[in-house]
Amino acid sequence: MIEDRGKKGKTMVDKGQIFVEMKAENFDLIRLSTYRTACKLRFVQKTCNLHLVDVWNMIEAFRDNGLNTLDHSTELSPSRLETIVSSIYYQLNKRLPTTYQIDVKQSISLLLNFLVAAHESEDHGNLTVFSMKVMLAIMCGGKIVDKLRYIFSQISHTNGAMTISKFDLFLREVLKLPSAVCEGPSFGYSEHLGRSCFPQQKKVMLNAFLDTMMADPPPQCLVWLPLMHRIANVENVLHPVSCSYCRSESMLGFRYRCKQCFNYQLCQTCFWRGHASGNHSNQHQMKEHSSWKSSAKKISRAISKSFGCVPSREPPHPVFPEDPERPLDLSNIVPPRPVLNNVNVSVSPTAGSPTAIQRVPGIAAAQRMNEEHSLIAAYVNKLQTSPRALDSPSRLDEEHRLIARYTARLAADPGNTMSPQLSFDSNKQQRQLIAELENKNREILQEIQRLRVEHEQACQPTPEKAYQNPTLLAELRQLRQRKDELEQRMSSLQESRRELMVQLEGLMSLLKAQAAGFPQTPPSHGASRPVPVPVRSAGSTPTGFPSPHLPQDSLAGVGGDVQEAFAHGARRNLRNDLLVAADSITDTMSSLVKELHTD
């Protein structure tokens, strides 16, 4: 009970969410009911992500969920309705790129609540199959001519003419959409509304239906339908013209030009809300523009039109064949009772044929099979030549009937078309063929096993193959080369270290001579050579000198004073003095380098 209340509360919140967001858009400020209704339904379409679902994808979803096999008056339970809507959005996410995925759960909740709200505005029962088809076909994306063609297929008879009672039912269902967005008073349903749309026509075919629905203007009760599609087409159209009221530099969407005031143009927001300035009045006639054409294009089009290069008026829709594509009549393929082969068929002598014909066993069956194959080939050719036939709601039913009758013929023919002797010979040949195929199958399995064993043996690495592998040999050569380079680098570092220690020994002797009172002339600029700066490493002391724990062979060629200073012993004062002297030598050498640069 608590879970049901929680679910009901969540549904109510989601139900009110779409209407709260729609109210925040201030669509009620639009003064014309037609534009107000079209804008509200376009907002619902985009909020529910229905503008991403094409009408052909919607028809495919109806077929996949089995709605084509149900009667139009069949009621859909809430669980069945949720299953259908879920399949629509999950299939949509499969078609969209991964970076543009939609929130499926939120879209399902919003659409379900809107459909229920639209249905409850007029009725109090469950949604029917026809009601759901009409609402989703109108609210999804795609061309209006494709939507109207699908609607006509649902309300027309098998002879291709529209049924006025079904068109009345279509108007009742489609006008629930304006009522759901609080526009019922402007676009409500009345009893004689269907007949008023086609007052002079007794038999309405597809082209006449499209002419009426896509006329300018269309029937008053459906004037918002083509406008909603025009709004969707001009949402991203930019007009590089300033609005005469709000003074915006460019217009996005529709552009309205006054036929009385010179060069007076309004953006769609100002026109929809009834703004006017100067001598312009809301009573003036305005022309709606959905695109921008430069002056050069206008002049060229006028010249082409004057020479007859451009037709004066394009048809609102392509002309479709009046006769509908009839489904295949497969009732005459399988006879009601088996037909024997060895029968005498009498033919009238007036037809110029013999009086009796003895049929050869198997010829009648071959003829019937050829008829089956020709029907299948004709159906496949129809699917290839007519792309729209793939999306026909009755395609699967035709294919199922064709397959069922073909299998029934295959099941009925063998016992009736073959004599016992022919049947025995055929069985013997089949057994021989099966035996040969079994022998070939065993040989193939043995060959597969042998190849698998050879492959496993080839994949096992051996030392001999490893040394014969050119890739491994190349890697070994690279490793040896790298080892030689590292050894050369170590030897050069040891040599540099030994030279540093020798220089340090010379500096120490110089210090001792200065301390004894015998000053020596510093070396000349030309004979001096720079003392390399020691590099700090992990094995060096903070002053940059090598650690005293280094092996003795690393100090080979260095005077005894240096070795004695860095050896383990009791003379620690000499080492400290040496470090202090090294700091002073560093300062002296830096000043010497500055003087050299100055000279």
Side-chain angles (χ1 to χ4, degrees), residues 379-406:
Y379 182 73
V380 172
N381 187 24
K382 172 187 172 183
L383 294 179
Q384 292 177 349
T385 55
S386 177
R388 296 303 183 189
L390 295 173
D391 299 319
S392 176
S394 60
R395 182 176 68 87
L396 286 180
D397 299 335
E398 295 176 14
E399 292 178 358
H400 292 165
R401 286 197 298 269
L402 187 63
I403 293 171
R405 295 184 182 279
Y406 184 71

PDB file of all heavy atoms in Angstrom, residues 379-406:
ATOM      1  N   TYR A 379       7.007 -11.288 -54.874  1.00  0.00           N
ATOM      2  CA  TYR A 379       6.947 -10.550 -53.604  1.00  0.00           C
ATOM      3  C   TYR A 379       8.302  -9.922 -53.273  1.00  0.00           C
ATOM      4  O   TYR A 379       8.379  -8.770 -52.824  1.00  0.00           O
ATOM      5  CB  TYR A 379       6.518 -11.500 -52.481  1.00  0.00           C
ATOM      6  CG  TYR A 379       6.386 -10.830 -51.137  1.00  0.00           C
ATOM      7  CD1 TYR A 379       5.332  -9.974 -50.867  1.00  0.00           C
ATOM      8  CD2 TYR A 379       7.329 -11.040 -50.135  1.00  0.00           C
ATOM      9  CE1 TYR A 379       5.210  -9.346 -49.646  1.00  0.00           C
ATOM     10  CE2 TYR A 379       7.217 -10.416 -48.912  1.00  0.00           C
ATOM     11  CZ  TYR A 379       6.154  -9.575 -48.668  1.00  0.00           C
ATOM     12  OH  TYR A 379       6.033  -8.939 -47.461  1.00  0.00           O
ATOM     13  N   VAL A 380       9.392 -10.653 -53.504  1.00  0.00           N
ATOM     14  CA  VAL A 380      10.733 -10.106 -53.252  1.00  0.00           C
ATOM     15  C   VAL A 380      11.009  -8.938 -54.180  1.00  0.00           C
ATOM     16  O   VAL A 380      11.584  -7.909 -53.780  1.00  0.00           O
ATOM     17  CB  VAL A 380      11.790 -11.209 -53.407  1.00  0.00           C
ATOM     18  CG1 VAL A 380      13.196 -10.622 -53.341  1.00  0.00           C
ATOM     19  CG2 VAL A 380      11.607 -12.269 -52.334  1.00  0.00           C
ATOM     20  N   ASN A 381      10.600  -9.051 -55.449  1.00  0.00           N
ATOM     21  CA  ASN A 381      10.789  -7.948 -56.398  1.00  0.00           C
ATOM     22  C   ASN A 381      10.002  -6.719 -55.969  1.00  0.00           C
ATOM     23  O   ASN A 381      10.464  -5.580 -56.103  1.00  0.00           O
ATOM     24  CB  ASN A 381      10.361  -8.404 -57.793  1.00  0.00           C
ATOM     25  CG  ASN A 381      10.695  -7.376 -58.856  1.00  0.00           C
ATOM     26  OD1 ASN A 381      11.601  -6.559 -58.681  1.00  0.00           O
ATOM     27  ND2 ASN A 381       9.977  -7.398 -59.959  1.00  0.00           N
ATOM     28  N   LYS A 382       8.834  -6.928 -55.409  1.00  0.00           N
ATOM     29  CA  LYS A 382       8.026  -5.809 -54.920  1.00  0.00           C
ATOM     30  C   LYS A 382       8.724  -5.099 -53.763  1.00  0.00           C
ATOM     31  O   LYS A 382       8.755  -3.866 -53.693  1.00  0.00           O
ATOM     32  CB  LYS A 382       6.669  -6.329 -54.477  1.00  0.00           C
ATOM     33  CG  LYS A 382       5.805  -5.294 -53.763  1.00  0.00           C
ATOM     34  CD  LYS A 382       4.557  -5.954 -53.201  1.00  0.00           C
ATOM     35  CE  LYS A 382       3.792  -4.953 -52.326  1.00  0.00           C
ATOM     36  NZ  LYS A 382       2.605  -5.576 -51.701  1.00  0.00           N
ATOM     37  N   LEU A 383       9.322  -5.879 -52.866  1.00  0.00           N
ATOM     38  CA  LEU A 383      10.040  -5.258 -51.741  1.00  0.00           C
ATOM     39  C   LEU A 383      11.261  -4.482 -52.218  1.00  0.00           C
ATOM     40  O   LEU A 383      11.606  -3.432 -51.665  1.00  0.00           O
ATOM     41  CB  LEU A 383      10.459  -6.331 -50.730  1.00  0.00           C
ATOM     42  CG  LEU A 383       9.327  -7.047 -49.982  1.00  0.00           C
ATOM     43  CD1 LEU A 383       9.908  -8.090 -49.043  1.00  0.00           C
ATOM     44  CD2 LEU A 383       8.484  -6.046 -49.190  1.00  0.00           C
ATOM     45  N   GLN A 384      11.940  -4.992 -53.263  1.00  0.00           N
ATOM     46  CA  GLN A 384      13.148  -4.313 -53.744  1.00  0.00           C
ATOM     47  C   GLN A 384      12.829  -3.040 -54.514  1.00  0.00           C
ATOM     48  O   GLN A 384      13.547  -2.049 -54.431  1.00  0.00           O
ATOM     49  CB  GLN A 384      13.953  -5.264 -54.615  1.00  0.00           C
ATOM     50  CG  GLN A 384      14.578  -6.432 -53.843  1.00  0.00           C
ATOM     51  CD  GLN A 384      15.299  -7.393 -54.746  1.00  0.00           C
ATOM     52  OE1 GLN A 384      15.179  -7.330 -55.970  1.00  0.00           O
ATOM     53  NE2 GLN A 384      16.059  -8.318 -54.158  1.00  0.00           N
ATOM     54  N   THR A 385      11.756  -3.058 -55.287  1.00  0.00           N
ATOM     55  CA  THR A 385      11.418  -1.894 -56.105  1.00  0.00           C
ATOM     56  C   THR A 385      10.673  -0.820 -55.340  1.00  0.00           C
ATOM     57  O   THR A 385      10.702   0.343 -55.711  1.00  0.00           O
ATOM     58  CB  THR A 385      10.567  -2.334 -57.309  1.00  0.00           C
ATOM     59  OG1 THR A 385       9.417  -3.046 -56.824  1.00  0.00           O
ATOM     60  CG2 THR A 385      11.371  -3.238 -58.223  1.00  0.00           C
ATOM     61  N   SER A 386      10.012  -1.189 -54.266  1.00  0.00           N
ATOM     62  CA  SER A 386       9.223  -0.219 -53.484  1.00  0.00           C
ATOM     63  C   SER A 386       9.787  -0.149 -52.075  1.00  0.00           C
ATOM     64  O   SER A 386       9.511  -1.018 -51.248  1.00  0.00           O
ATOM     65  CB  SER A 386       7.752  -0.636 -53.448  1.00  0.00           C
ATOM     66  OG  SER A 386       7.012   0.260 -52.641  1.00  0.00           O
ATOM     67  N   PRO A 387      10.651   0.867 -51.764  1.00  0.00           N
ATOM     68  CA  PRO A 387      11.204   0.959 -50.407  1.00  0.00           C
ATOM     69  C   PRO A 387      10.140   1.145 -49.339  1.00  0.00           C
ATOM     70  O   PRO A 387      10.305   0.702 -48.208  1.00  0.00           O
ATOM     71  CB  PRO A 387      12.144   2.179 -50.501  1.00  0.00           C
ATOM     72  CG  PRO A 387      12.391   2.377 -51.952  1.00  0.00           C
ATOM     73  CD  PRO A 387      11.165   1.900 -52.665  1.00  0.00           C
ATOM     74  N   ARG A 388       9.038   1.801 -49.689  1.00  0.00           N
ATOM     75  CA  ARG A 388       7.994   2.022 -48.680  1.00  0.00           C
ATOM     76  C   ARG A 388       7.284   0.725 -48.311  1.00  0.00           C
ATOM     77  O   ARG A 388       6.632   0.662 -47.267  1.00  0.00           O
ATOM     78  CB  ARG A 388       6.967   3.029 -49.199  1.00  0.00           C
ATOM     79  CG  ARG A 388       7.548   4.416 -49.433  1.00  0.00           C
ATOM     80  CD  ARG A 388       8.167   4.959 -48.185  1.00  0.00           C
ATOM     81  NE  ARG A 388       8.669   6.320 -48.380  1.00  0.00           N
ATOM     82  CZ  ARG A 388       9.397   6.971 -47.510  1.00  0.00           C
ATOM     83  NH1 ARG A 388       9.740   6.377 -46.386  1.00  0.00           N
ATOM     84  NH2 ARG A 388       9.806   8.202 -47.763  1.00  0.00           N
ATOM     85  N   ALA A 389       7.371  -0.296 -49.178  1.00  0.00           N
ATOM     86  CA  ALA A 389       6.714  -1.560 -48.856  1.00  0.00           C
ATOM     87  C   ALA A 389       7.338  -2.237 -47.647  1.00  0.00           C
ATOM     88  O   ALA A 389       6.688  -3.007 -46.948  1.00  0.00           O
ATOM     89  CB  ALA A 389       6.771  -2.494 -50.071  1.00  0.00           C
ATOM     90  N   LEU A 390       8.622  -1.937 -47.380  1.00  0.00           N
ATOM     91  CA  LEU A 390       9.261  -2.496 -46.191  1.00  0.00           C
ATOM     92  C   LEU A 390       8.629  -1.978 -44.917  1.00  0.00           C
ATOM     93  O   LEU A 390       8.631  -2.649 -43.890  1.00  0.00           O
ATOM     94  CB  LEU A 390      10.766  -2.169 -46.208  1.00  0.00           C
ATOM     95  CG  LEU A 390      11.569  -2.811 -47.337  1.00  0.00           C
ATOM     96  CD1 LEU A 390      12.984  -2.260 -47.326  1.00  0.00           C
ATOM     97  CD2 LEU A 390      11.611  -4.320 -47.169  1.00  0.00           C
ATOM     98  N   ASP A 391       8.108  -0.754 -44.949  1.00  0.00           N
ATOM     99  CA  ASP A 391       7.488  -0.161 -43.769  1.00  0.00           C
ATOM    100  C   ASP A 391       5.978  -0.336 -43.747  1.00  0.00           C
ATOM    101  O   ASP A 391       5.302   0.263 -42.910  1.00  0.00           O
ATOM    102  CB  ASP A 391       7.827   1.335 -43.699  1.00  0.00           C
ATOM    103  CG  ASP A 391       9.314   1.566 -43.594  1.00  0.00           C
ATOM    104  OD1 ASP A 391       9.954   0.814 -42.843  1.00  0.00           O
ATOM    105  OD2 ASP A 391       9.826   2.486 -44.246  1.00  0.00           O
ATOM    106  N   SER A 392       5.443  -1.119 -44.668  1.00  0.00           N
ATOM    107  CA  SER A 392       3.994  -1.316 -44.702  1.00  0.00           C
ATOM    108  C   SER A 392       3.552  -2.082 -43.469  1.00  0.00           C
ATOM    109  O   SER A 392       4.191  -3.066 -43.054  1.00  0.00           O
ATOM    110  CB  SER A 392       3.615  -2.087 -45.964  1.00  0.00           C
ATOM    111  OG  SER A 392       2.229  -2.367 -45.963  1.00  0.00           O
ATOM    112  N   PRO A 393       2.476  -1.674 -42.819  1.00  0.00           N
ATOM    113  CA  PRO A 393       2.038  -2.380 -41.600  1.00  0.00           C
ATOM    114  C   PRO A 393       1.662  -3.828 -41.847  1.00  0.00           C
ATOM    115  O   PRO A 393       1.773  -4.649 -40.946  1.00  0.00           O
ATOM    116  CB  PRO A 393       0.832  -1.546 -41.139  1.00  0.00           C
ATOM    117  CG  PRO A 393       1.001  -0.206 -41.781  1.00  0.00           C
ATOM    118  CD  PRO A 393       1.674  -0.470 -43.092  1.00  0.00           C
ATOM    119  N   SER A 394       1.205  -4.174 -43.068  1.00  0.00           N
ATOM    120  CA  SER A 394       0.749  -5.540 -43.349  1.00  0.00           C
ATOM    121  C   SER A 394       1.837  -6.413 -43.959  1.00  0.00           C
ATOM    122  O   SER A 394       1.544  -7.511 -44.428  1.00  0.00           O
ATOM    123  CB  SER A 394      -0.449  -5.494 -44.297  1.00  0.00           C
ATOM    124  OG  SER A 394      -0.091  -4.873 -45.522  1.00  0.00           O
ATOM    125  N   ARG A 395       3.098  -5.937 -43.964  1.00  0.00           N
ATOM    126  CA  ARG A 395       4.165  -6.715 -44.613  1.00  0.00           C
ATOM    127  C   ARG A 395       4.410  -8.034 -43.889  1.00  0.00           C
ATOM    128  O   ARG A 395       4.505  -9.094 -44.507  1.00  0.00           O
ATOM    129  CB  ARG A 395       5.447  -5.891 -44.652  1.00  0.00           C
ATOM    130  CG  ARG A 395       6.601  -6.602 -45.346  1.00  0.00           C
ATOM    131  CD  ARG A 395       7.802  -5.699 -45.443  1.00  0.00           C
ATOM    132  NE  ARG A 395       8.367  -5.426 -44.148  1.00  0.00           N
ATOM    133  CZ  ARG A 395       9.271  -6.200 -43.541  1.00  0.00           C
ATOM    134  NH1 ARG A 395       9.683  -7.307 -44.128  1.00  0.00           N
ATOM    135  NH2 ARG A 395       9.752  -5.871 -42.366  1.00  0.00           N
ATOM    136  N   LEU A 396       4.521  -7.982 -42.557  1.00  0.00           N
ATOM    137  CA  LEU A 396       4.798  -9.208 -41.811  1.00  0.00           C
ATOM    138  C   LEU A 396       3.666 -10.213 -41.940  1.00  0.00           C
ATOM    139  O   LEU A 396       3.900 -11.428 -42.049  1.00  0.00           O
ATOM    140  CB  LEU A 396       5.029  -8.867 -40.333  1.00  0.00           C
ATOM    141  CG  LEU A 396       6.377  -8.204 -39.995  1.00  0.00           C
ATOM    142  CD1 LEU A 396       6.454  -7.922 -38.514  1.00  0.00           C
ATOM    143  CD2 LEU A 396       7.521  -9.109 -40.413  1.00  0.00           C
ATOM    144  N   ASP A 397       2.421  -9.724 -41.951  1.00  0.00           N
ATOM    145  CA  ASP A 397       1.294 -10.647 -42.095  1.00  0.00           C
ATOM    146  C   ASP A 397       1.335 -11.339 -43.455  1.00  0.00           C
ATOM    147  O   ASP A 397       1.085 -12.550 -43.558  1.00  0.00           O
ATOM    148  CB  ASP A 397      -0.026  -9.887 -41.944  1.00  0.00           C
ATOM    149  CG  ASP A 397      -0.134  -9.234 -40.575  1.00  0.00           C
ATOM    150  OD1 ASP A 397       0.529  -9.739 -39.645  1.00  0.00           O
ATOM    151  OD2 ASP A 397      -0.859  -8.239 -40.427  1.00  0.00           O
ATOM    152  N   GLU A 398       1.663 -10.601 -44.516  1.00  0.00           N
ATOM    153  CA  GLU A 398       1.761 -11.208 -45.845  1.00  0.00           C
ATOM    154  C   GLU A 398       2.872 -12.252 -45.893  1.00  0.00           C
ATOM    155  O   GLU A 398       2.698 -13.349 -46.450  1.00  0.00           O
ATOM    156  CB  GLU A 398       2.018 -10.122 -46.877  1.00  0.00           C
ATOM    157  CG  GLU A 398       0.875  -9.130 -47.037  1.00  0.00           C
ATOM    158  CD  GLU A 398       1.225  -8.022 -48.016  1.00  0.00           C
ATOM    159  OE1 GLU A 398       2.219  -8.186 -48.727  1.00  0.00           O
ATOM    160  OE2 GLU A 398       0.505  -7.010 -48.050  1.00  0.00           O
ATOM    161  N   GLU A 399       4.021 -11.916 -45.298  1.00  0.00           N
ATOM    162  CA  GLU A 399       5.123 -12.872 -45.297  1.00  0.00           C
ATOM    163  C   GLU A 399       4.768 -14.126 -44.518  1.00  0.00           C
ATOM    164  O   GLU A 399       5.100 -15.249 -44.921  1.00  0.00           O
ATOM    165  CB  GLU A 399       6.368 -12.211 -44.717  1.00  0.00           C
ATOM    166  CG  GLU A 399       6.942 -11.118 -45.602  1.00  0.00           C
ATOM    167  CD  GLU A 399       8.148 -10.455 -44.961  1.00  0.00           C
ATOM    168  OE1 GLU A 399       8.480 -10.832 -43.831  1.00  0.00           O
ATOM    169  OE2 GLU A 399       8.738  -9.561 -45.597  1.00  0.00           O
ATOM    170  N   HIS A 400       4.095 -13.978 -43.379  1.00  0.00           N
ATOM    171  CA  HIS A 400       3.722 -15.151 -42.585  1.00  0.00           C
ATOM    172  C   HIS A 400       2.747 -16.040 -43.349  1.00  0.00           C
ATOM    173  O   HIS A 400       2.868 -17.283 -43.328  1.00  0.00           O
ATOM    174  CB  HIS A 400       3.114 -14.697 -41.263  1.00  0.00           C
ATOM    175  CG  HIS A 400       4.109 -14.047 -40.357  1.00  0.00           C
ATOM    176  ND1 HIS A 400       3.759 -13.299 -39.243  1.00  0.00           N
ATOM    177  CD2 HIS A 400       5.466 -14.010 -40.395  1.00  0.00           C
ATOM    178  CE1 HIS A 400       4.837 -12.844 -38.652  1.00  0.00           C
ATOM    179  NE2 HIS A 400       5.881 -13.260 -39.334  1.00  0.00           N
ATOM    180  N   ARG A 401       1.771 -15.435 -44.020  1.00  0.00           N
ATOM    181  CA  ARG A 401       0.832 -16.243 -44.797  1.00  0.00           C
ATOM    182  C   ARG A 401       1.544 -16.955 -45.945  1.00  0.00           C
ATOM    183  O   ARG A 401       1.271 -18.126 -46.243  1.00  0.00           O
ATOM    184  CB  ARG A 401      -0.283 -15.348 -45.339  1.00  0.00           C
ATOM    185  CG  ARG A 401      -1.289 -14.906 -44.276  1.00  0.00           C
ATOM    186  CD  ARG A 401      -2.559 -14.385 -44.927  1.00  0.00           C
ATOM    187  NE  ARG A 401      -2.300 -13.209 -45.747  1.00  0.00           N
ATOM    188  CZ  ARG A 401      -2.368 -11.963 -45.284  1.00  0.00           C
ATOM    189  NH1 ARG A 401      -2.690 -11.753 -44.019  1.00  0.00           N
ATOM    190  NH2 ARG A 401      -2.126 -10.933 -46.082  1.00  0.00           N
ATOM    191  N   LEU A 402       2.460 -16.254 -46.595  1.00  0.00           N
ATOM    192  CA  LEU A 402       3.194 -16.857 -47.709  1.00  0.00           C
ATOM    193  C   LEU A 402       4.042 -18.038 -47.241  1.00  0.00           C
ATOM    194  O   LEU A 402       4.057 -19.109 -47.855  1.00  0.00           O
ATOM    195  CB  LEU A 402       4.069 -15.795 -48.370  1.00  0.00           C
ATOM    196  CG  LEU A 402       4.787 -16.197 -49.661  1.00  0.00           C
ATOM    197  CD1 LEU A 402       3.772 -16.519 -50.738  1.00  0.00           C
ATOM    198  CD2 LEU A 402       5.702 -15.084 -50.121  1.00  0.00           C
ATOM    199  N   ILE A 403       4.725 -17.874 -46.114  1.00  0.00           N
ATOM    200  CA  ILE A 403       5.574 -18.950 -45.589  1.00  0.00           C
ATOM    201  C   ILE A 403       4.721 -20.128 -45.131  1.00  0.00           C
ATOM    202  O   ILE A 403       5.065 -21.299 -45.346  1.00  0.00           O
ATOM    203  CB  ILE A 403       6.445 -18.411 -44.445  1.00  0.00           C
ATOM    204  CG1 ILE A 403       7.451 -17.391 -44.985  1.00  0.00           C
ATOM    205  CG2 ILE A 403       7.187 -19.538 -43.747  1.00  0.00           C
ATOM    206  CD1 ILE A 403       8.207 -16.649 -43.898  1.00  0.00           C
ATOM    207  N   ALA A 404       3.587 -19.839 -44.486  1.00  0.00           N
ATOM    208  CA  ALA A 404       2.730 -20.926 -43.994  1.00  0.00           C
ATOM    209  C   ALA A 404       2.181 -21.763 -45.144  1.00  0.00           C
ATOM    210  O   ALA A 404       2.181 -23.003 -45.094  1.00  0.00           O
ATOM    211  CB  ALA A 404       1.583 -20.335 -43.171  1.00  0.00           C
ATOM    212  N   ARG A 405       1.732 -21.117 -46.199  1.00  0.00           N
ATOM    213  CA  ARG A 405       1.182 -21.866 -47.333  1.00  0.00           C
ATOM    214  C   ARG A 405       2.273 -22.623 -48.091  1.00  0.00           C
ATOM    215  O   ARG A 405       2.054 -23.729 -48.595  1.00  0.00           O
ATOM    216  CB  ARG A 405       0.427 -20.918 -48.271  1.00  0.00           C
ATOM    217  CG  ARG A 405      -0.799 -20.306 -47.621  1.00  0.00           C
ATOM    218  CD  ARG A 405      -1.598 -19.452 -48.595  1.00  0.00           C
ATOM    219  NE  ARG A 405      -2.733 -18.864 -47.914  1.00  0.00           N
ATOM    220  CZ  ARG A 405      -3.887 -19.467 -47.672  1.00  0.00           C
ATOM    221  NH1 ARG A 405      -4.045 -20.717 -48.070  1.00  0.00           N
ATOM    222  NH2 ARG A 405      -4.872 -18.858 -47.050  1.00  0.00           N
ATOM    223  N   TYR A 406       3.449 -22.048 -48.151  1.00  0.00           N
ATOM    224  CA  TYR A 406       4.553 -22.737 -48.834  1.00  0.00           C
ATOM    225  C   TYR A 406       4.964 -23.994 -48.070  1.00  0.00           C
ATOM    226  O   TYR A 406       5.187 -25.057 -48.660  1.00  0.00           O
ATOM    227  CB  TYR A 406       5.726 -21.776 -48.982  1.00  0.00           C
ATOM    228  CG  TYR A 406       6.886 -22.345 -49.767  1.00  0.00           C
ATOM    229  CD1 TYR A 406       6.779 -22.548 -51.140  1.00  0.00           C
ATOM    230  CD2 TYR A 406       8.074 -22.681 -49.139  1.00  0.00           C
ATOM    231  CE1 TYR A 406       7.833 -23.080 -51.866  1.00  0.00           C
ATOM    232  CE2 TYR A 406       9.132 -23.210 -49.855  1.00  0.00           C
ATOM    233  CZ  TYR A 406       9.006 -23.405 -51.228  1.00  0.00           C
ATOM    234  OH  TYR A 406      10.049 -23.924 -51.930  1.00  0.00           O
TER     235      TYR A 406
END
